[in-house]
Amino acid sequence: MRRLTTATFVISTLLSTTAIAAPPTGAWVFDSSPEYPDFTRVKVSDDAGKLSGTITSRWYGDLPMKDLRADGDVLKFKIYNGNPKITPTDITIAADGEAVRMTGKLWYQDFDITAHKGTAAELKALDFPSYPLPPHRVVPQKNLAAKPPMGWNSWNKFATAIDDKTVREIADAMVASGLRDAGYIYVNIDDGWQGKRDQNGVLQPNEKFPDMKALADYVHSKGLKIGIYSSQGPKTCGGFEGSYGHVEQDARIFAAWGMDYLKYDLCSGEAFYHTKETVYATYQQMGEALAATGRDIVFSLCQYGRFDVGSWGRDVGGHLWRTTSDIEDTYARMSWIGFDANGVPNHTGPNGWNDPDMLEVGNGGMSHDEYKTHMSLWALMAAPLLLGNDVRTMTPETIELLTNREVIAIDQDVAGVQGLPVKKNGTTEIWTKKLSDGSTAVGLFNRADTPVTVNGNWAEIGLSDAVKVRDVWAHKDAKASAAYSYTLPAHGAVLLTVSR
Ligand code: GLA
């Protein structure tokens, strides 16, 4: 070293820096990966100084590296999985001899994983298939949901801990508790029933559901209908097998089992389909596949209200569409959806319903008054009423909240109008919904955490000719005067019908 001239020293330092600074390019196969998002391989190429690359995931297929740049000998980039609510953070790839090490985070999953140089055969075996979508068509809607669908769904209470025995017991309880006779007809299995595909690609239920056809027959024998769940992505939100590449085949097996309702949830499909056109095409594809089975199957769209779904949900043969991300059993979340977020009202009506998500009544996270607000709001909005609690063990108060015939009648009114707020004053709101018999349903709500008295004149909210007022929770009639005054508990509601 001491013998080097200054010039050779500078040149050799530059050369060695350049050599070290080259970021890794090539194709590698991951040695292991967290189950989510199940990374399989990574490819990076340098085309005359322009870097590009993909990471392949069994959930999301080939994910392009965005904002890819070299930082010394380390690559940095971001990954978008299609979910607009997720702000991606930098992922890094560093060389480790022939191998690479990738560290970072995708959605909620951290990873620090290594990958070895892949052989051509190894890499080829990890190619992620892509399937064509159908050209734009309108799917004729079947008349299966003239009123907002009513029933039960396993997700809110059981998540993926659902099985054949529980579903049968739920069906029994729907009958014994009077819920079926109050109108709750569908027993819907949400995520967590799926097993693997057989050698012909036919999706099998997992070991918790030994015989889907027998289960459907059992539910039908109780005078109920049965529903199931899938996703257009390779994986459902719970990480189970989705319908990606098997749409028609899955529709056929659902029909063969005797399913009457399908909830179709975008889930990992959001990475493949993140434009209005492609998301429409995926729902159209399943809508057409359901129609081709010849069976009457209510089609429930679950893509969290993206791309103004209410304006096209009917055109894919859909009967209801979620308007937001998931409900939770808290007043904050329920009231945000109910008061502030549930879709464009004029999209709702017979055979096409804004779906503010399933009920939480009876799950224990809210007070009785909060659950009364939940039911009152959902009824005024003409929301689908899908119970989310364990109907085998309900308190008398829960049964009363869920089976109040007058509240249900407001929800199920044949005109199918979505109620709207007509007066807001600080934390109080008054909502009205026109009913088909000429009367009006009126909800008075207190969003504050202390009681409040709400008063005013009926005329101010367009009900100058009110002569008969009925409190539908209390089952009490009152003669109307020009003025009204109601004291509402914290987070509470009064629900009325007002007629001439
Ligand atoms: C999404 C849906 C939920 C439920 C879960 C199942 O989050 O919005 O309603 O179906 O997936 O994994």
Side-chain angles (χ1 to χ4, degrees):
M1 243 340 212
R2 245 181 290 139
R3 292 219 204 132
L4 290 176
T5 61
T6 312
T8 27
F9 177 75
V10 170
I11 289 164
S12 66
T13 310
L14 273 176
L15 280 176
S16 61
T17 316
T18 319
I20 292 167
T25 55
W28 301 265
V29 173
F30 286 107
D31 303 314
S32 67
S33 166
E35 218 177 306
Y36 173 85
D38 206 352
F39 290 124
T40 57
R41 70 173 186 198
V42 51
K43 290 182 173 180
V44 180
S45 59
D46 183 345
D47 185 9
K50 192 169 176 341
L51 287 167
S52 63
T54 55
I55 323 179
T56 306
S57 143
R58 288 204 172 90
W59 289 61
Y60 298 125
D62 292 327
L63 292 162
M65 296 176 181
K66 293 282 166 70
D67 190 18
L68 174 59
R69 64 232 183 255
D71 184 356
D73 59 352
V74 171
L75 286 167
K76 292 195 172 170
F77 58 93
K78 293 185 168 66
I79 291 290
Y80 293 79
N81 72 346
N83 190 326
K85 290 215 306 208
I86 298 166
T87 310
T89 50
D90 272 348
I91 295 172
T92 62
I93 291 183
D96 180 7
E98 284 279 277
V100 289
R101 179 169 170 196
M102 183 171 90
T103 47
K105 187 174 187 167
L106 188 68
W107 199 351
Y108 52 80
Q109 181 65 56
D110 293 310
F111 45 80
D112 180 352
I113 50 180
T114 55
H116 59 272
K117 259 269 155 345
T119 65
E122 240 183 321
L123 291 160
K124 179 92 194 103
L126 297 172
D127 277 352
F128 207 87
S130 80
Y131 300 101
L133 290 172
H136 183 280
R137 285 185 289 263
V138 169
V139 187
Q141 236 195 347
K142 282 189 174 179
N143 178 25
L144 302 175
K147 298 174 183 182
M150 289 177 68
W152 175 88
N153 173 293
S154 53
W155 185 255
N156 284 357
K157 174 69 188 177
F158 297 95
T160 57
I162 186 70
D163 55 27
D164 175 283
K165 179 168 176 283
T166 308
V167 174
R168 284 172 193 251
E169 289 173 6
I170 293 288
D172 295 344
M174 297 286 283
V175 179
S177 61
L179 285 167
R180 180 196 63 185
D181 294 343
Y184 297 93
I185 291 298
Y186 291 95
V187 174
N188 292 345
I189 305 165
D190 205 277
D191 207 356
W193 64 268
Q194 310 89 328
K196 301 277 168 238
R197 296 186 181 276
D198 70 10
Q199 65 278 17
N200 300 316
V202 180
L203 185 54
Q204 308 293 308
N206 59 38
E207 61 293 345
K208 296 187 298 167
F209 290 89
D211 187 339
M212 273 295 185
K213 170 103 180 56
L215 177 58
D217 288 347
Y218 183 80
V219 172
H220 289 147
S221 77
K222 301 278 158 183
L224 294 160
K225 291 177 185 283
I226 185 165
I228 201 151
Y229 168 96
S230 194
S231 168
Q232 52 267 70
K235 301 277 185 182
T236 64
C237 300
F240 292 84
E241 183 76 16
S243 293
Y244 189 72
H246 295 273
V247 176
E248 287 79 13
Q249 203 170 25
D250 287 0
R252 284 197 296 274
I253 195 74
F254 299 154
W257 286 336
M259 294 297 157
D260 307 299
Y261 188 115
L262 173 69
K263 173 174 167 185
Y264 203 43
D265 193 346
L266 187 58
C267 292
S268 67
E270 68 187 4
F272 297 81
Y273 314 118
H274 39 72
T275 61
K276 177 177 174 177
E277 289 68 31
T278 52
V279 172
Y280 178 102
T282 65
Y283 280 103
Q284 173 199 322
Q285 188 175 33
M286 181 51 95
E288 290 178 328
L290 293 175
T293 70
R295 189 171 172 85
D296 285 343
I297 300 176
V298 169
F299 190 25
S300 160
L301 279 45
C302 181
Q303 45 83 290
Y304 337 115
R306 294 182 193 166
F307 310 118
D308 191 22
V309 59
S311 67
W312 52 264
R314 293 163 190 274
D315 294 346
V316 295
H319 298 101
L320 60 159
W321 40 81
R322 280 272 298 280
T323 50
T324 64
S325 48
D326 295 9
I327 196 169
E328 289 159 19
D329 189 17
T330 62
Y331 179 75
R333 185 75 185 165
M334 178 282 292
S335 62
W336 170 74
I337 294 179
F339 288 114
D340 304 320
N342 182 34
V344 180
N346 60 14
H347 292 327
T348 229
N351 282 312
W353 307 98
N354 281 338
D355 175 8
D357 208 355
M358 303 167 295
L359 297 167
E360 292 283 6
V361 178
N363 279 335
M366 288 182 247
S367 70
H368 186 72
D369 285 321
E370 291 169 340
Y371 282 139
K372 200 183 257 188
T373 294
H374 187 6
M375 276 305 279
S376 304
L377 266 175
W378 264 235
L380 283 165
M381 294 189 294
L385 297 179
L386 292 158
L387 310 169
N389 60 318
D390 186 348
V391 299
R392 298 169 303 182
T393 51
M394 290 184 286
T395 62
E397 290 74 28
T398 296
I399 297 183
E400 159 57 21
L401 283 176
L402 296 176
T403 59
N404 183 310
R405 296 294 204 277
E406 298 180 61
V407 176
I408 292 173
I410 292 172
D411 179 79
Q412 296 283 295
D413 186 75
V414 291
V417 174
Q418 180 171 339
L420 283 174
V422 287
K423 191 175 175 190
K424 293 190 183 188
N425 184 2
T427 49
T428 63
E429 298 196 13
I430 302 181
W431 287 51
T432 62
K433 173 187 177 172
K434 288 279 173 221
L435 300 175
S436 52
D437 66 359
S439 65
T440 303
V442 179
L444 298 101
F445 297 99
N446 175 17
R447 297 181 69 171
D449 45 21
T450 49
V452 73
T453 298
V454 181
N455 43 42
N457 288 317
W458 292 116
E460 291 162 9
I461 55 168
L463 298 169
S464 51
D465 45 5
V467 291
K468 200 178 134 202
V469 175
R470 182 164 171 82
D471 182 328
V472 300
W473 284 119
H475 301 293
K476 272 196 190 126
D477 284 325
K479 255 224 185 116
S481 55
Y484 61 84
S485 175
Y486 292 93
T487 298
L488 308 175
H491 296 173
V494 164
L495 186 61
L496 311 167
T497 50
V498 175
S499 40
R500 299 186 170 128

